[in-house]
Amino acid sequence: MKSLATGLVLGIGVAAATVTGRKTMSNLRTSRSHPWRHRLLDLGSAFVQRKRPPDAMSTYLDGLHMYADDTGRQVHAAHFCIHLEHDLHQCVIFDRNSPDARLIGIEYIISEERFRALPEEEKKLWHSHHYEIKSGILTAPGVPKIAEHAYFEDLVKTYGKTFHTWQYDLHDFPYGAPQLMMGFTADGQVLESLVQERDREVGVSTKRNREHRENIPVPAVAEGANSWESGRVMQTTLQETSVQR
């Protein structure tokens, strides 16, 4: 019994040391172009500061988005999500799953019931997830297929509102106003070259995902979602205005 306890303690110690080592190397890599004093501050804060929102991110979802008003512009989007309420997820979006990834946007995910209760104008900002899941485009890398399948059986009935704050397909800096994004709703919309590039980068197969999810029921899409399909869509622009004092 003593040897078992000793082995367990040693195992935990090795795992902790491995995580610590990875964290150290990750911080050193991402801050390599910074002055040394900044690098030391970054490294120190990585271990002494508690970062509760990142710690609460329980799910990594990988997908593709298109610009609401320019559906030919499509980008890779790595989501890291917190299940905030039973019918509400909040996600931060990066251009990839990497320590030096660029923060490019946010997405809120809600239940169908909550979506149907939204004002009609608000509904225009939201997209359905039925096709993203059934097609295999949206994936949860590394999660066992059985668990992923069960998760997506619930997620297929949800709706998302997504804004990208960095148009990284055009600029190497986060210029301009946040842009409303949408999800795909049918075959023939997504760029196959982008799907293949994402699959190689992440190590997934959209084709196999699709085959594995054939038996997930497709819900009827609630009226008001996927506004881009009508040919008219909301999009954000910057407008100068007076300051209220």
Side-chain angles (χ1 to χ4, degrees):
M1 195 70 182
K2 185 177 180 181
S3 61
L4 178 62
T6 302
L8 182 59
V9 169
L10 287 173
I12 293 172
V14 170
T18 301
V19 171
T20 300
R22 287 176 180 169
K23 194 173 217 181
T24 301
M25 293 307 297
S26 175
N27 276 274
L28 288 174
R29 278 198 303 270
T30 55
S31 65
R32 61 184 175 271
S33 61
H34 302 169
W36 266 105
R37 63 176 180 173
H38 291 175
R39 298 181 73 181
L40 290 173
L41 286 170
D42 289 344
L43 186 59
S45 67
F47 295 101
V48 301
Q49 289 184 320
R50 296 195 66 181
K51 304 173 182 70
R52 290 179 175 86
D55 288 344
M57 291 176 187
S58 57
T59 309
Y60 160 39
L61 299 174
D62 204 275
L64 305 172
H65 290 160
M66 61 184 180
Y67 288 81
D69 58 337
D70 189 353
T71 59
R73 288 179 62 194
Q74 303 174 9
V75 294
H76 182 192
H79 307 58
F80 298 88
C81 306
I82 297 172
H83 200 168
L84 195 64
E85 299 175 18
H86 75 280
D87 60 353
L88 171 64
H89 294 73
Q90 56 183 16
C91 310
V92 290
I93 306 172
F94 292 82
D95 65 329
R96 61 193 184 281
N97 186 8
S98 171
D100 60 347
R102 293 171 289 191
L103 174 62
I104 62 169
I106 58 170
E107 178 166 3
Y108 298 102
I109 299 173
I110 60 175
S111 65
E112 179 181 339
E113 182 181 7
R114 182 171 277 200
F115 174 79
R116 289 185 181 277
L118 294 175
E120 293 306 311
E121 282 296 299
E122 173 67 19
K123 288 179 180 178
K124 295 178 182 179
L125 304 176
W126 296 75
H127 60 272
S128 67
H129 288 133
H130 72 289
Y131 179 79
E132 290 183 73
I133 289 171
K134 285 289 288 185
S135 67
I137 290 174
L138 190 64
T139 186
V143 174
K145 287 298 180 185
I146 294 176
E148 186 192 59
H149 191 282
Y151 182 69
F152 283 143
E153 285 178 12
D154 292 331
L155 207 66
V156 75
K157 296 171 284 195
T158 62
Y159 294 78
K161 178 167 74 170
T162 305
F163 283 95
H164 279 199
T165 54
W166 190 331
Q167 299 180 57
Y168 77 95
D169 57 321
L170 291 183
H171 308 297
D172 60 359
F173 186 84
Y175 292 108
Q179 295 295 287
L180 181 66
M181 309 298 285
M182 287 285 166
F184 306 100
T185 57
D187 289 344
Q189 295 171 356
V190 68
L191 298 173
E192 285 303 320
S193 59
L194 182 60
V195 173
Q196 293 169 14
E197 179 184 333
R198 189 286 301 270
D199 285 4
R200 284 194 302 270
E201 180 179 331
V202 178
V204 298
S205 170
T206 296
K207 182 176 181 293
R208 285 198 293 272
N209 285 347
R210 183 172 191 150
E211 293 168 354
H212 187 68
R213 301 173 193 170
E214 280 183 344
N215 63 343
I216 294 181
V218 180
V221 178
E223 187 175 348
N226 307 318
S227 60
W228 67 272
E229 292 182 319
S230 70
R232 299 286 297 174
V233 73
M234 307 288 283
Q235 190 54 281
T236 59
T237 58
L238 294 175
Q239 178 180 319
E240 188 172 297
T241 186
S242 300
V243 177
Q244 301 298 315
R245 300 185 187 280

